[in-house]
Amino acid sequence: MMTRSLLLTAALALASVDAATKVAVIELGPSGMVHRTNAAYPETSAAGVTSFFQALHGRKLQKSGMTVVPDLFNKPESSVVVSISGADLENMPQLNAMMTNDEETVGHLKCHGKKSKSILKGVGKVNSVEDISSLKESVESKAKESGLSGVSFEVADKEQASEVDAQVSGMIKDMKKSCKENGNKVVLHLMVEDVTEDEGNEYTRHRRLQEDDGDEENNGYYGYKYYNAYGELITTYRTMFQIQYFNVVLWTSLGLFFTVIYSFTLMVGMPLMPDTLLFGESAKVPLDD
């Protein structure tokens, strides 16, 4: 039984490396509903992506450390998650460009593994489309609804991927033009489940090495660990940056707190005496007899 569970865990870990779920956040109407942060990398978890979707409509607090955040006051009327799974972004050049181009989008999010189904569970109202010709109509219909909703489509083969690329890119251009003319405040989240994982940058490779190390049992470096509902490894391990940041904030706060207390103590114990200018002899005006 133990061996079977270990093999299943290893299989899940390997499966999560074979794919990546990428999200491009696009404002179709007036801008200012979503803001880009100074986070260096778009990597996050499936729970983080779901929290951003829900925080955009004030339904949940967003997880920290993400590249995009919703505006506190300027909220969208509608948000549509367009999920495309089973595709290779190399076969969809226009959508692939949206996943890397910062000019056409507000920001990007990325989580390792095939997480589109897990993310859509937190969306709620999701329509599954089987015919590519009805994809645009379904998305435009969802954009007229208030709140958060979604549309999912699964690509069958390489030829259909090219058709989806043309359909979705053209749909986004048409909806941008329509929303700007009518003043509709709509945010579109283009979520593509890429079947080929990008080896990207050093941060991505470092995250994978951490997950590989966490697969070993009784690893004292990681301590307690478990897999959450999204299939992601959760540990009590903290990076060096998190440790440094915690200590800087902790000791700076304590230093400021004790400085304020000491200042109040000096002010309370300050000696009081009559003002020599108001009550002294120099303040008395001589009177003529």
Side-chain angles (χ1 to χ4, degrees):
M1 189 68 179
M2 179 67 69
T3 304
R4 184 179 299 177
S5 62
L6 290 176
L7 290 175
L8 179 60
T9 303
L12 289 174
L14 290 174
S16 64
V17 176
D18 292 338
T21 304
K22 302 177 181 179
V23 180
V25 183
I26 306 171
E27 290 179 324
L28 299 181
S31 60
M33 295 173 287
V34 181
H35 301 284
R36 189 177 302 169
T37 68
N38 58 356
Y41 303 103
E43 278 79 2
T44 183
S45 62
V49 176
T50 303
S51 69
F52 166 69
F53 291 164
Q54 296 180 349
L56 195 56
H57 293 274
R59 293 164 51 185
K60 188 177 180 181
L61 292 177
Q62 182 181 350
K63 292 185 178 296
S64 60
M66 299 178 66
T67 54
V68 287
V69 293
D71 189 86
L72 292 176
F73 305 102
N74 189 14
K75 298 293 185 181
E77 300 169 354
S78 175
S79 293
V80 184
V81 180
V82 180
S83 175
I84 301 174
S85 59
D88 187 350
L89 277 175
E90 294 181 357
N91 299 326
M92 299 187 294
Q94 297 185 67
L95 297 187
N96 192 17
M98 290 185 185
M99 292 298 168
T100 56
N101 191 353
D102 292 334
E103 295 181 359
E104 297 183 6
T105 62
V106 181
H108 301 88
L109 299 171
K110 175 182 176 181
C111 54
H112 299 292
K114 298 180 180 180
K115 299 296 193 309
S116 60
K117 292 183 179 179
S118 299
I119 294 173
L120 289 176
K121 289 180 181 178
V123 174
K125 301 177 291 183
V126 180
N127 287 351
S128 180
V129 178
E130 297 181 357
D131 187 7
I132 182 62
S133 60
S134 61
L135 178 61
K136 180 179 179 181
E137 181 181 355
S138 180
V139 174
E140 290 178 345
S141 176
K142 286 292 185 183
K144 297 178 182 179
E145 299 179 4
S146 60
L148 179 63
S149 59
V151 176
S152 65
F153 181 82
E154 186 171 358
V155 179
D157 50 32
K158 184 177 180 180
E159 295 181 357
Q160 194 178 46
S162 301
E163 188 177 357
V164 170
D165 185 42
Q167 285 270 1
V168 175
S169 58
M171 176 193 69
I172 293 175
K173 292 179 182 178
D174 294 341
M175 292 183 67
K176 271 187 176 182
K177 182 179 179 181
S178 176
C179 290
K180 287 183 179 180
E181 291 177 353
N182 299 325
N184 297 329
K185 300 166 67 175
V186 180
V187 176
L188 187 141
H189 309 283
L190 179 60
M191 181 168 62
V192 179
E193 197 175 75
D194 191 5
V195 296
T196 57
E197 170 67 12
D198 183 15
E199 290 293 338
N201 48 48
E202 184 179 355
Y203 176 82
T204 302
R205 292 192 294 270
H206 180 65
R207 286 280 298 270
R208 289 186 184 173
L209 288 174
Q210 289 181 352
E211 292 178 0
D212 292 340
D213 291 339
D215 290 336
E216 300 178 4
E217 290 294 325
N218 299 324
N219 191 335
Y221 183 66
Y222 269 80
Y224 177 71
K225 57 185 181 298
Y226 63 94
Y227 284 94
N228 63 6
Y230 301 98
E232 299 164 340
L233 181 65
I234 306 298
T235 74
T236 56
Y237 168 75
R238 294 293 179 267
T239 63
M240 183 58 65
F241 171 77
Q242 291 173 322
I243 296 173
Q244 292 173 345
Y245 183 79
F246 173 79
N247 280 278
V248 168
V249 173
L250 173 64
W251 293 109
T252 301
S253 302
L254 290 176
L256 292 175
F257 175 76
F258 286 113
T259 300
V260 171
I261 294 298
Y262 181 68
S263 301
F264 275 115
T265 303
L266 294 179
M267 185 179 67
V268 170
M270 184 172 56
L272 300 177
M273 60 183 66
D275 194 316
T276 56
L277 181 61
L278 296 177
F279 301 101
E281 294 294 333
S282 60
K284 295 181 179 180
V285 179
L287 299 175
D288 296 333
D289 295 336

